[in-house]
Amino acid sequence: MPECLQPHAGQRAAVRYTVSVHDAHAHLFSVVLRVQRPRPRQGFSLPVWIPGSYLVREFSQHLQNLRAFQGAQPLALRQVDKNNWRSEAASELPLELHYEVYAFDTSVRSAYLDATRGFFNATSLCLRVLGQQDQPHELECLPGPSTQGWQLVTGLGPLQVGSDGFGRYQAQDYDELADCPLALGTFWSGSFSVRGVPHRFVVSGAGAWLDGARLLADTRRICEAQIDFWHPQPDAAPPFSSYLFMLHASADGYGGLEHRNCTALLCQRADLPNLDESAAPAARKASDGYTTLLGLISHEYFHTWNVKRLRPAEFARYDYGRENHTELLWFFEGFTSYYDDLLLRRAELIDSATYLQLLAKTINLVQQTPGRHVQSVAQASFDAWTKFYRVGENTPNATVNYYSKGALVALCLDLTLRAEGHSTLDAVLRALWQRCAGGPMREIDLLRVLQRLGRRSFEPEIKAWVHSTQELPLSALLQAHGVKIGEEKAPLAQQLGLRLNESAAGVSLKNVLRGGAAEAAGMAAGDEWLGIEFDARQPDMPAEAWRIHKLEQVPLLRGQRQRLVALLAREQRLLRCTLDWPAESKTLSLSPGDTALLAAWLDAPRASA
Ligand SMILES: [Zn+2]
């Protein structure tokens, strides 16, 4: 429970925001920004992106009704560009800006408000006071008529707050303010401590059926495993004094955003642990959905070290006004993705077979992405802003997922280090944390640590796996560590080089993959696949035409024919494309082979140097 902790609660910060729930039905927050000592012609700027999500989102599109005052006098304010304003005041008397922000984004990246809950990041609501970003900031959040019974939670330090969490909070600078979202509403809430550090978990949007005790116990095991991972000395403390999980459950949400001492998470209601299910001992094995949620919790918590503290040198100081490019997202997102599931295994929340199934999914995802031949994972990191985050019909052909391929680079490095017998990737990450003092790093830092602990240069591996499009040596490394590799028939859409949307309306093509049978036939993203036809001109094929509603009908109708005509609708025109049926392609399956070898990797002692 937050309380008044600060000795200087009476002093007011140089930059102060007051946020109120102006009109929940109109999804409007109202904000008053007070600047104690404005500069002459003081500038103000709203971020265009939020750290952790690499897309220019133009938050200023939702800002409205901006007015400035000095005392009771209205003050001229000039808009300089899409997200910058300048006051015309020459004097240094206190200045106020009044404005509203429309908040109806259900993701964790922006702001949301309705009569049931509220959520916001300062990057959406709080104009930066240029030249004063390093001054202490204060944020006051006021309750309103529509917030009765609500609580407020945030990772910000409390200055003067009520038992419901509403009140005044402080941040040492704008960066901290921007890194501590606020959630408002009614929550299930639980807490635990790890190494004396209090952790709180709040859930909004769940029903009374939520098995909060299970969620809390499992999260605690994740936190213990990760603190043990980064700080094997039992008396060492993690680099934060408290931690807050803010989870909102909705019909179909999924996602998370990492912050320095908290995370905002979204999940599907159906993925939460349910009291009825948990009552049956057979159901203690986590469902696929709950395993996905635990993986998300593990992922965002791991980021507390890996990207929030240890971070790309380019992020040493965020530029909130433009893209901040780095080639290192394969490391920060990829290595975090490698460890999110691996640490679920180490925390004994999943078994080895389940871990290997999750890993096989990652491998198949990368192998089925033609863009891996086009971009290296370092280039994909740099272009995240214009490619990975701007998903279109050509995305799988043009870029590679730096989460998945980065995770496989981590896997290959870990298994290579283990095979050579000198070190592990766990030890490399801890040494990197020491070397960079939990701060900005470059690729050369990783290379130096790999060389020291692995007792040789890993430049050839980094060049091949990270800076080129060469294939990763996955099979050999996995087999050497006790994994049995099998093959399964690839899903039909994959065989044809397609990704689809199937609905009651029929089959529509989402992506046509480079080099596949569908591309060769001339099929295109956006086409509706209406039916198939067999050409009577070929002697063994009587002429027939069939309507299809699902892709799986095609092989049944095709029989043994090697060639068919796909009937497509594109921009109101009906097209015939000749499709040559491709040879059968395979996907990979992984299962436990040599259990002793596997245990040496998956259950590795954490303190090895
Ligand atoms: Zn991440």
Side-chain angles (χ1 to χ4, degrees):
M1 189 67 61
E3 54 189 88
C4 181
L5 294 173
Q6 292 302 311
H8 304 300
Q11 292 177 5
R12 306 308 294 265
V15 177
R16 288 162 26 209
Y17 304 86
T18 304
V19 173
S20 25
V21 175
H22 176 72
D23 186 343
H25 293 168
H27 318 294
L28 288 173
F29 284 109
S30 92
V31 184
V32 176
L33 163 56
R34 293 181 184 82
V35 185
Q36 205 56 33
R37 297 190 59 187
R39 295 178 167 186
R41 300 170 64 76
Q42 175 67 56
F44 301 92
S45 182
L46 197 68
V48 301
W49 70 291
I50 181 165
S53 184
Y54 307 108
L55 179 68
V56 169
R57 294 182 188 275
E58 313 290 22
F59 297 124
S60 61
Q61 67 183 296
H62 299 304
L63 189 149
Q64 63 184 44
N65 227 350
L66 176 62
R67 293 146 291 147
F69 300 90
Q70 223 160 11
Q73 293 299 313
L75 187 67
L77 197 66
R78 193 166 79 79
Q79 182 158 7
V80 180
D81 61 22
K82 64 181 181 182
N83 65 321
N84 281 281
W85 291 262
R86 191 182 300 133
S87 96
E88 299 296 326
S91 86
E92 294 188 356
L93 290 173
L95 183 157
E96 278 189 10
L97 297 188
H98 294 222
Y99 55 96
E100 290 142 16
V101 174
Y102 175 73
F104 203 52
D105 177 346
T106 53
S107 84
V108 290
R109 302 152 176 155
S110 180
Y112 183 87
L113 178 65
D114 72 3
T116 64
R117 70 179 185 105
F119 175 84
F120 64 89
N121 292 284
T123 39
S124 283
L125 255 66
C126 297
L127 282 162
R128 290 185 303 139
V129 181
L130 298 180
Q132 303 200 33
Q133 302 99 303
D134 295 333
Q135 299 287 317
H137 285 51
E138 185 183 312
L139 187 144
E140 181 172 27
C141 195
L142 299 174
S146 58
T147 66
Q148 270 189 357
W150 284 16
Q151 299 270 321
L152 184 159
V153 294
T154 176
L156 284 170
L159 268 174
Q160 193 170 32
V161 304
S163 58
D164 56 6
F166 283 89
R168 290 165 53 207
Y169 289 87
Q170 63 174 351
Q172 63 183 5
D173 51 25
Y174 187 87
D175 284 334
E176 185 181 1
L177 186 72
D179 207 14
C180 296
L182 290 87
L184 301 77
T186 53
F187 303 105
W188 176 91
S189 174
S191 57
F192 57 85
S193 281
V194 184
R195 295 208 195 167
V197 175
H199 288 61
R200 186 177 179 197
F201 204 124
V202 302
V203 185
S204 56
W209 44 262
L210 170 68
D211 187 351
R214 182 175 181 190
L215 179 62
L216 203 63
D218 291 347
T219 301
R220 180 192 186 133
R221 282 162 75 170
I222 293 169
C223 298
E224 286 169 348
Q226 297 206 8
I227 292 176
D228 288 349
F229 174 93
W230 287 102
H231 311 286
Q233 319 80 349
D235 54 343
F240 43 88
S241 58
S242 67
Y243 195 89
L244 172 66
F245 293 92
M246 293 175 275
L247 171 63
H248 178 67
S250 66
D252 56 2
Y254 179 77
L257 198 58
E258 65 276 9
H259 299 286
R260 63 183 65 185
N261 67 352
C262 65
T263 179
L265 306 163
L266 276 179
C267 77
Q268 290 188 21
R269 243 167 235 129
D271 292 345
L272 287 167
N274 182 312
L275 280 171
D276 284 346
E277 284 172 9
S278 304
R284 291 309 292 189
K285 187 175 189 303
S287 67
D288 288 353
Y290 185 45
T291 302
T292 302
L293 172 59
L294 293 176
L296 178 67
I297 289 168
S298 179
H299 182 95
E300 303 306 341
Y301 193 69
F302 198 82
H303 270 319
T304 318
W305 289 266
N306 196 39
V307 93
K308 293 314 300 184
R309 288 177 175 81
L310 195 62
R311 61 190 186 276
E314 295 88 348
F315 293 179
R317 195 76 213 249
Y318 296 124
D319 182 342
Y320 292 99
R322 57 187 292 271
E323 292 87 347
N324 290 216
H325 294 284
T326 172
E327 280 197 348
L328 281 175
L329 295 180
W330 61 270
F331 177 86
F332 290 99
E333 290 300 349
F335 282 41
T336 299
S337 297
Y338 174 57
Y339 278 107
D340 57 22
D341 288 339
L342 184 56
L343 288 167
L344 292 188
R345 168 68 208 117
R346 299 241 180 108
E348 296 185 359
L349 292 165
I350 56 174
D351 58 24
S352 299
T354 305
Y355 174 74
L356 292 176
Q357 283 163 14
L358 293 170
L359 182 58
K361 247 167 109 174
T362 305
I363 294 173
N364 287 325
L365 181 77
V366 173
Q367 294 306 108
Q368 292 166 2
T369 303
R372 79 185 198 283
H373 299 302
V374 176
Q375 277 206 314
S376 72
V377 77
Q379 291 170 322
S381 299
F382 195 89
D383 280 342
W385 302 79
T386 48
K387 295 201 169 171
F388 186 71
Y389 268 91
R390 291 196 193 273
V391 179
E393 77 286 349
N394 196 44
T395 302
N397 293 326
T399 190
V400 62
N401 183 322
Y402 50 78
Y403 287 80
S404 314
K405 188 170 177 193
L408 299 184
V409 170
L411 170 78
C412 288
L413 277 175
D414 195 13
L415 298 188
T416 303
L417 287 162
R418 288 171 185 274
E420 293 178 9
H422 301 302
S423 193
T424 64
L425 195 63
D426 303 10
V428 166
L429 284 201
R430 285 193 288 267
L432 204 51
W433 175 262
Q434 295 293 332
R435 177 185 171 91
C436 301
M441 67 162 260
R442 297 180 189 280
E443 189 180 291
I444 189 69
D445 294 305
L446 174 63
L447 284 167
R448 293 270 155 77
V449 170
L450 281 168
Q451 175 143 28
R452 181 163 63 81
L453 299 189
R455 302 190 197 170
R456 69 167 177 90
S457 169
F458 277 74
E459 267 182 62
E461 281 83 358
I462 295 295
K463 198 170 163 211
W465 300 346
V466 172
H467 294 282
S468 90
T469 57
Q470 283 180 42
E471 299 286 2
L472 303 172
L474 291 162
S475 298
L477 285 168
L478 287 167
Q479 279 165 339
H481 286 82
V483 179
K484 204 160 92 193
I485 299 181
E487 278 188 341
E488 287 170 4
K489 192 174 158 185
L492 181 57
Q494 183 63 34
Q495 307 251 6
L496 295 173
L498 285 173
R499 293 188 189 162
L500 303 169
N501 287 319
E502 286 184 304
S503 68
V507 180
S508 70
L509 310 191
K510 201 166 82 177
N511 309 100
V512 175
L513 300 178
R514 186 71 67 248
E519 185 189 64
M523 299 166 89
D527 287 352
E528 288 172 69
W529 192 347
L530 303 173
I532 56 173
E533 197 176 51
F534 304 114
D535 191 343
R537 281 170 298 180
Q538 294 177 53
D540 59 334
M541 292 187 179
E544 4 175 316
W546 297 89
R547 177 81 168 97
I548 63 161
H549 294 92
K550 287 183 168 191
L551 185 67
E552 67 187 31
Q553 294 168 331
V554 174
L556 297 174
L557 295 167
R558 175 181 79 93
Q560 296 301 311
R561 296 173 177 94
Q562 289 307 308
R563 175 170 287 184
L564 55 86
V565 174
L567 300 170
L568 307 167
R570 183 184 305 164
E571 293 195 341
Q572 242 187 324
R573 302 184 65 163
L574 295 176
L575 305 175
R576 287 190 163 82
C577 290
T578 303
L579 176 68
D580 287 315
W581 201 257
E584 191 172 284
S585 60
K586 304 283 186 190
T587 59
L588 205 79
S589 68
L590 304 179
S591 56
D594 184 319
T595 45
L597 277 175
L598 199 56
W601 162 36
L602 296 182
D603 313 336
R606 290 187 286 263
S608 65

